[in-house]
Amino acid sequence: MMKAALTRRSMMLGTAAMSLAACATPDVSFAETSERIDFDRFVIDITRQPDETLSIWPEQAPGRDAVDLTEHMVERQNSFGLPDRAALDVTAPTVSYFRSENFSGNTILLIPGGGYQRVVIEKEGWEGARYFNQFGYDVYVMTYRLPFQGWPSGADTPLQDAQRAMRVLRNHNTNTRGSDANVLAIGFSAGGHLAGSLNQRFADTVYDPVDALDELSARPDITALVYPVVLMGSEHTHAGSQNNLLGDNPADDQLRAYDLTRNVNPDSPPLFLLHALDDTSVVMENSMELMNAYRDADVPAVLHIFEHGGHGFGMRGVENTPLEDWPGLLMNWAAENGLPPTPR
């Protein structure tokens, strides 16, 4: 039976208008209080720190001796007045563990974005972890090395970290929760490209095994990509992410190898895609073309497109807008695929 391709004209788009204007900045110094502070219903408990931080690599990351970098954090300004750090020059990637008090038996690996130039810690990492924790998901937020900084593995460097993070997560879950199953990987923007690569290349050998953890599966059970970078060498490509991943003049075979639409694995887990129609940074054709590619490969996938939202919203500014539905849509889909939240 012939499948109809998704196009802009064939999509059923919502028409409700939305405002992502800045909320009032809380009159509090986040660094000076240990009290719980909720910014709104989605950005919650903003002073809470991870319960544990785990190194992804037991000693040092592959190729560490080949790069001369000093990992550091930078504070970024934002209209919400919220903590907003980014990791630069990552050399020792980690997963930050947020433990749920009402564990559902299901776990999330969050992969923040940053254009393969930085890793956005709070906005697309810790804020999501705190939110999904209340629904019974243990959450791990990863940092990863950046491919343009001279690592010997080049464009596969972030995938090395993502595969290893999945294995560290599964081992930690076995030790703390008694099971390594039921993992949802969520990636944002360039982190969506990395999560999408993990969803398709979970079995690729991109580094030499370092210990027994590398016998564990790196395959997520399901994966969600939020305004993801997908396309390479296309008129719809996010140029900055492509340049940071592949360099200024990538060969055609490189573009093919790292374009997610050209490398769908028939054994990939089910996929959830989310995008805003008015995203001018990473245009929604990235998600739409990946949806079509998964359909063509008979891999289960769903796509949600919101009329407004732009790029990089995460959990911020979504309250009282149509976008406030996106976490619920994701959890409902996760439940349909065997990873339900804890009933509240």
Short mmCIF file of all heavy atoms in Angstrom, two decimals, residues 19-61:
data_model
loop_
_atom_site.label_atom_id
_atom_site.label_comp_id
_atom_site.label_asym_id
_atom_site.label_seq_id
_atom_site.Cartn_x
_atom_site.Cartn_y
_atom_site.Cartn_z
N SER A 19 2.05 33.17 23.16
CA SER A 19 3.01 34.19 23.55
C SER A 19 4.10 33.55 24.37
O SER A 19 3.84 32.84 25.31
CB SER A 19 2.33 35.28 24.38
OG SER A 19 3.31 36.14 24.92
N LEU A 20 5.35 33.79 23.95
CA LEU A 20 6.49 33.29 24.72
C LEU A 20 7.23 34.46 25.36
O LEU A 20 8.44 34.47 25.48
CB LEU A 20 7.43 32.49 23.81
CG LEU A 20 6.86 31.17 23.30
CD1 LEU A 20 7.89 30.47 22.43
CD2 LEU A 20 6.45 30.29 24.45
N ALA A 21 6.46 35.47 25.77
CA ALA A 21 7.08 36.61 26.41
C ALA A 21 7.70 36.20 27.73
O ALA A 21 7.27 35.25 28.37
CB ALA A 21 6.02 37.70 26.64
N ALA A 22 8.71 36.94 28.14
CA ALA A 22 9.41 36.60 29.37
C ALA A 22 8.49 36.73 30.56
O ALA A 22 7.72 37.67 30.69
CB ALA A 22 10.61 37.53 29.55
N CYS A 23 8.58 35.73 31.44
CA CYS A 23 7.86 35.79 32.70
C CYS A 23 8.62 36.71 33.65
O CYS A 23 9.79 37.01 33.45
CB CYS A 23 7.75 34.40 33.32
SG CYS A 23 6.91 33.22 32.26
N ALA A 24 7.96 37.16 34.69
CA ALA A 24 8.62 38.00 35.66
C ALA A 24 9.76 37.24 36.33
O ALA A 24 9.62 36.08 36.70
CB ALA A 24 7.61 38.47 36.71
N THR A 25 10.88 37.91 36.50
CA THR A 25 12.03 37.27 37.12
C THR A 25 11.80 37.15 38.62
O THR A 25 11.45 38.12 39.28
CB THR A 25 13.29 38.10 36.87
OG1 THR A 25 13.47 38.24 35.47
CG2 THR A 25 14.51 37.46 37.50
N PRO A 26 11.98 35.96 39.20
CA PRO A 26 11.80 35.81 40.64
C PRO A 26 12.76 36.72 41.41
O PRO A 26 13.93 36.85 41.04
CB PRO A 26 12.13 34.33 40.89
CG PRO A 26 12.00 33.67 39.56
CD PRO A 26 12.36 34.70 38.56
N ASP A 27 12.27 37.32 42.48
CA ASP A 27 13.08 38.21 43.28
C ASP A 27 13.84 37.39 44.32
O ASP A 27 13.55 37.42 45.50
CB ASP A 27 12.20 39.26 43.95
CG ASP A 27 13.03 40.28 44.72
OD1 ASP A 27 14.24 40.38 44.44
OD2 ASP A 27 12.46 40.97 45.60
N VAL A 28 14.81 36.61 43.84
CA VAL A 28 15.56 35.73 44.74
C VAL A 28 16.89 35.41 44.09
O VAL A 28 17.00 35.34 42.87
CB VAL A 28 14.76 34.43 45.03
CG1 VAL A 28 14.57 33.63 43.78
CG2 VAL A 28 15.45 33.60 46.11
N SER A 29 17.91 35.28 44.91
CA SER A 29 19.20 34.79 44.42
C SER A 29 19.22 33.29 44.54
O SER A 29 19.20 32.74 45.64
CB SER A 29 20.34 35.42 45.22
OG SER A 29 21.57 34.83 44.83
N PHE A 30 19.24 32.59 43.40
CA PHE A 30 19.13 31.14 43.42
C PHE A 30 20.29 30.51 44.17
O PHE A 30 20.14 29.45 44.76
CB PHE A 30 19.07 30.61 41.99
CG PHE A 30 17.96 31.20 41.18
CD1 PHE A 30 18.21 31.73 39.93
CD2 PHE A 30 16.68 31.25 41.67
CE1 PHE A 30 17.19 32.27 39.17
CE2 PHE A 30 15.65 31.79 40.92
CZ PHE A 30 15.91 32.31 39.67
N ALA A 31 21.44 31.13 44.13
CA ALA A 31 22.62 30.54 44.74
C ALA A 31 22.61 30.67 46.26
O ALA A 31 23.41 30.04 46.94
CB ALA A 31 23.88 31.18 44.17
N GLU A 32 21.71 31.50 46.79
CA GLU A 32 21.76 31.81 48.22
C GLU A 32 20.64 31.16 49.03
O GLU A 32 20.48 31.46 50.20
CB GLU A 32 21.71 33.33 48.41
CG GLU A 32 22.92 34.05 47.81
CD GLU A 32 22.80 35.55 47.90
OE1 GLU A 32 21.75 36.02 48.41
OE2 GLU A 32 23.73 36.25 47.47
N THR A 33 19.88 30.29 48.42
CA THR A 33 18.79 29.65 49.16
C THR A 33 18.77 28.16 48.90
O THR A 33 19.14 27.71 47.82
CB THR A 33 17.43 30.26 48.75
OG1 THR A 33 16.40 29.61 49.49
CG2 THR A 33 17.16 30.06 47.26
N SER A 34 18.38 27.41 49.91
CA SER A 34 18.22 25.96 49.77
C SER A 34 16.75 25.59 49.70
O SER A 34 16.41 24.41 49.63
CB SER A 34 18.89 25.23 50.94
OG SER A 34 18.30 25.64 52.17
N GLU A 35 15.86 26.59 49.74
CA GLU A 35 14.42 26.32 49.67
C GLU A 35 14.02 25.97 48.25
O GLU A 35 14.63 26.40 47.28
CB GLU A 35 13.64 27.54 50.14
CG GLU A 35 13.89 27.92 51.59
CD GLU A 35 13.10 29.14 52.01
OE1 GLU A 35 12.34 29.66 51.15
OE2 GLU A 35 13.22 29.57 53.16
N ARG A 36 12.95 25.18 48.15
CA ARG A 36 12.42 24.85 46.83
C ARG A 36 11.80 26.10 46.21
O ARG A 36 11.01 26.80 46.84
CB ARG A 36 11.37 23.73 46.93
CG ARG A 36 10.66 23.49 45.61
CD ARG A 36 9.78 22.29 45.63
NE ARG A 36 8.98 22.24 44.40
CZ ARG A 36 8.66 21.13 43.76
NH1 ARG A 36 9.06 19.97 44.22
NH2 ARG A 36 7.93 21.17 42.67
N ILE A 37 12.16 26.35 44.98
CA ILE A 37 11.61 27.48 44.24
C ILE A 37 11.07 26.95 42.91
O ILE A 37 11.80 26.37 42.12
CB ILE A 37 12.67 28.56 43.95
CG1 ILE A 37 13.29 29.07 45.24
CG2 ILE A 37 12.06 29.71 43.15
CD1 ILE A 37 14.48 29.98 45.02
N ASP A 38 9.78 27.14 42.67
CA ASP A 38 9.16 26.80 41.40
C ASP A 38 8.96 28.08 40.61
O ASP A 38 8.30 29.02 41.08
CB ASP A 38 7.82 26.11 41.61
CG ASP A 38 7.97 24.71 42.19
OD1 ASP A 38 9.08 24.17 42.20
OD2 ASP A 38 6.93 24.17 42.64
N PHE A 39 9.51 28.15 39.42
CA PHE A 39 9.32 29.32 38.56
C PHE A 39 7.91 29.34 38.00
O PHE A 39 7.26 30.37 37.94
CB PHE A 39 10.36 29.30 37.44
CG PHE A 39 10.38 30.53 36.60
CD1 PHE A 39 10.85 31.73 37.11
CD2 PHE A 39 9.96 30.49 35.28
CE1 PHE A 39 10.89 32.87 36.32
CE2 PHE A 39 9.99 31.63 34.49
CZ PHE A 39 10.45 32.82 35.01
N ASP A 40 7.44 28.17 37.54
CA ASP A 40 6.07 27.96 37.11
C ASP A 40 5.80 26.46 37.20
O ASP A 40 6.50 25.75 37.91
CB ASP A 40 5.81 28.54 35.71
CG ASP A 40 6.73 27.95 34.63
OD1 ASP A 40 7.26 26.83 34.83
OD2 ASP A 40 6.89 28.59 33.56
N ARG A 41 4.77 25.96 36.51
CA ARG A 41 4.45 24.54 36.61
C ARG A 41 5.42 23.64 35.87
O ARG A 41 5.40 22.42 36.05
CB ARG A 41 3.02 24.29 36.09
CG ARG A 41 1.93 24.82 36.98
CD ARG A 41 0.55 24.43 36.48
NE ARG A 41 0.22 25.06 35.21
CZ ARG A 41 0.05 24.42 34.06
NH1 ARG A 41 0.22 23.11 33.99
NH2 ARG A 41 -0.26 25.08 32.96
N PHE A 42 6.26 24.21 35.03
CA PHE A 42 7.16 23.42 34.20
C PHE A 42 8.63 23.58 34.60
O PHE A 42 9.39 22.61 34.53
CB PHE A 42 6.95 23.77 32.72
CG PHE A 42 5.58 23.42 32.23
CD1 PHE A 42 4.53 24.31 32.33
CD2 PHE A 42 5.33 22.16 31.72
CE1 PHE A 42 3.25 23.97 31.91
CE2 PHE A 42 4.06 21.80 31.29
CZ PHE A 42 3.01 22.70 31.39
N VAL A 43 9.01 24.77 34.98
CA VAL A 43 10.37 25.00 35.47
C VAL A 43 10.27 25.03 37.00
O VAL A 43 9.91 26.04 37.59
CB VAL A 43 10.95 26.31 34.92
CG1 VAL A 43 12.37 26.53 35.43
CG2 VAL A 43 10.93 26.30 33.40
N ILE A 44 10.61 23.89 37.60
CA ILE A 44 10.34 23.70 39.02
C ILE A 44 11.62 23.40 39.79
O ILE A 44 12.61 22.96 39.22
CB ILE A 44 9.32 22.55 39.24
CG1 ILE A 44 9.91 21.21 38.78
CG2 ILE A 44 8.01 22.85 38.53
CD1 ILE A 44 9.07 20.00 39.18
N ASP A 45 11.56 23.67 41.10
CA ASP A 45 12.62 23.27 42.04
C ASP A 45 13.99 23.67 41.50
O ASP A 45 14.93 22.87 41.46
CB ASP A 45 12.54 21.75 42.25
CG ASP A 45 13.15 21.31 43.57
OD1 ASP A 45 13.60 22.19 44.33
OD2 ASP A 45 13.19 20.09 43.83
N ILE A 46 14.12 24.94 41.14
CA ILE A 46 15.25 25.37 40.32
C ILE A 46 16.58 25.43 41.07
O ILE A 46 17.63 25.59 40.44
CB ILE A 46 14.97 26.73 39.63
CG1 ILE A 46 14.63 27.79 40.67
CG2 ILE A 46 13.87 26.58 38.62
CD1 ILE A 46 14.29 29.13 40.05
N THR A 47 16.56 25.27 42.39
CA THR A 47 17.83 25.20 43.11
C THR A 47 18.29 23.76 43.32
O THR A 47 19.40 23.54 43.82
CB THR A 47 17.71 25.88 44.49
OG1 THR A 47 16.72 25.19 45.28
CG2 THR A 47 17.32 27.34 44.34
N ARG A 48 17.48 22.80 42.95
CA ARG A 48 17.83 21.40 43.19
C ARG A 48 19.01 20.97 42.32
O ARG A 48 19.03 21.22 41.11
CB ARG A 48 16.63 20.50 42.90
CG ARG A 48 16.94 19.02 43.18
CD ARG A 48 15.82 18.12 42.75
NE ARG A 48 16.27 16.73 42.78
CZ ARG A 48 15.64 15.72 42.19
NH1 ARG A 48 14.52 15.95 41.53
NH2 ARG A 48 16.13 14.50 42.27
N GLN A 49 19.96 20.32 42.93
CA GLN A 49 21.14 19.81 42.25
C GLN A 49 21.00 18.31 41.99
O GLN A 49 20.15 17.64 42.58
CB GLN A 49 22.38 20.08 43.09
CG GLN A 49 22.62 21.56 43.39
CD GLN A 49 22.81 22.37 42.12
OE1 GLN A 49 23.77 22.14 41.38
NE2 GLN A 49 21.91 23.32 41.87
N PRO A 50 21.82 17.74 41.11
CA PRO A 50 21.75 16.29 40.87
C PRO A 50 22.04 15.51 42.14
O PRO A 50 22.78 15.96 43.02
CB PRO A 50 22.85 16.05 39.82
CG PRO A 50 23.10 17.38 39.20
CD PRO A 50 22.83 18.40 40.26
N ASP A 51 21.44 14.33 42.24
CA ASP A 51 21.70 13.45 43.37
C ASP A 51 23.07 12.80 43.26
O ASP A 51 23.65 12.42 44.29
CB ASP A 51 20.61 12.38 43.45
CG ASP A 51 19.25 12.97 43.77
OD1 ASP A 51 19.02 13.32 44.93
OD2 ASP A 51 18.43 13.11 42.84
N GLU A 52 23.58 12.69 42.06
CA GLU A 52 24.87 12.06 41.85
C GLU A 52 25.37 12.45 40.46
O GLU A 52 24.57 12.64 39.54
CB GLU A 52 24.73 10.54 41.95
CG GLU A 52 26.01 9.76 42.02
CD GLU A 52 25.78 8.28 42.26
OE1 GLU A 52 24.61 7.87 42.48
OE2 GLU A 52 26.78 7.51 42.23
N THR A 53 26.67 12.60 40.31
CA THR A 53 27.26 12.85 39.00
C THR A 53 28.24 11.72 38.69
O THR A 53 29.15 11.44 39.48
CB THR A 53 27.99 14.19 38.96
OG1 THR A 53 27.05 15.24 39.25
CG2 THR A 53 28.60 14.44 37.59
N LEU A 54 28.02 11.06 37.57
CA LEU A 54 28.79 9.88 37.19
C LEU A 54 29.67 10.20 35.99
O LEU A 54 29.22 10.81 35.02
CB LEU A 54 27.85 8.73 36.81
CG LEU A 54 26.75 8.38 37.82
CD1 LEU A 54 25.77 7.39 37.20
CD2 LEU A 54 27.35 7.81 39.09
N SER A 55 30.92 9.79 36.06
CA SER A 55 31.80 9.92 34.91
C SER A 55 31.40 8.89 33.85
O SER A 55 31.12 7.74 34.17
CB SER A 55 33.26 9.69 35.31
OG SER A 55 33.69 10.70 36.20
N ILE A 56 31.37 9.32 32.60
CA ILE A 56 31.03 8.40 31.52
C ILE A 56 32.17 7.43 31.25
O ILE A 56 31.95 6.24 31.01
CB ILE A 56 30.65 9.19 30.26
CG1 ILE A 56 29.28 9.87 30.47
CG2 ILE A 56 30.61 8.28 29.03
CD1 ILE A 56 28.82 10.72 29.31
N TRP A 57 33.40 7.91 31.33
CA TRP A 57 34.57 7.07 31.08
C TRP A 57 35.29 6.80 32.38
O TRP A 57 35.41 7.69 33.23
CB TRP A 57 35.50 7.75 30.08
CG TRP A 57 34.81 8.03 28.77
CD1 TRP A 57 34.26 9.21 28.37
CD2 TRP A 57 34.55 7.09 27.72
NE1 TRP A 57 33.69 9.08 27.13
CE2 TRP A 57 33.86 7.78 26.70
CE3 TRP A 57 34.85 5.74 27.54
CZ2 TRP A 57 33.44 7.17 25.52
CZ3 TRP A 57 34.45 5.13 26.36
CH2 TRP A 57 33.76 5.82 25.37
N PRO A 58 35.80 5.58 32.59
CA PRO A 58 36.37 5.23 33.89
C PRO A 58 37.64 5.99 34.23
O PRO A 58 37.91 6.27 35.40
CB PRO A 58 36.65 3.72 33.77
CG PRO A 58 36.71 3.45 32.30
CD PRO A 58 35.77 4.43 31.67
N GLU A 59 38.45 6.35 33.24
CA GLU A 59 39.66 7.12 33.50
C GLU A 59 39.63 8.40 32.67
O GLU A 59 39.38 9.48 33.17
CB GLU A 59 40.89 6.27 33.21
CG GLU A 59 41.03 5.10 34.18
CD GLU A 59 42.32 4.34 34.01
OE1 GLU A 59 43.19 4.78 33.24
OE2 GLU A 59 42.45 3.28 34.65
N GLN A 60 39.85 8.29 31.39
CA GLN A 60 39.73 9.46 30.54
C GLN A 60 39.10 9.06 29.21
O GLN A 60 39.11 7.89 28.83
CB GLN A 60 41.08 10.13 30.29
CG GLN A 60 42.10 9.28 29.56
CD GLN A 60 43.41 10.04 29.35
OE1 GLN A 60 43.73 10.99 30.08
NE2 GLN A 60 44.17 9.64 28.34
N ALA A 61 38.50 10.04 28.55
CA ALA A 61 37.79 9.77 27.30
C ALA A 61 38.77 9.35 26.21
O ALA A 61 39.95 9.75 26.23
CB ALA A 61 37.03 11.01 26.85
#
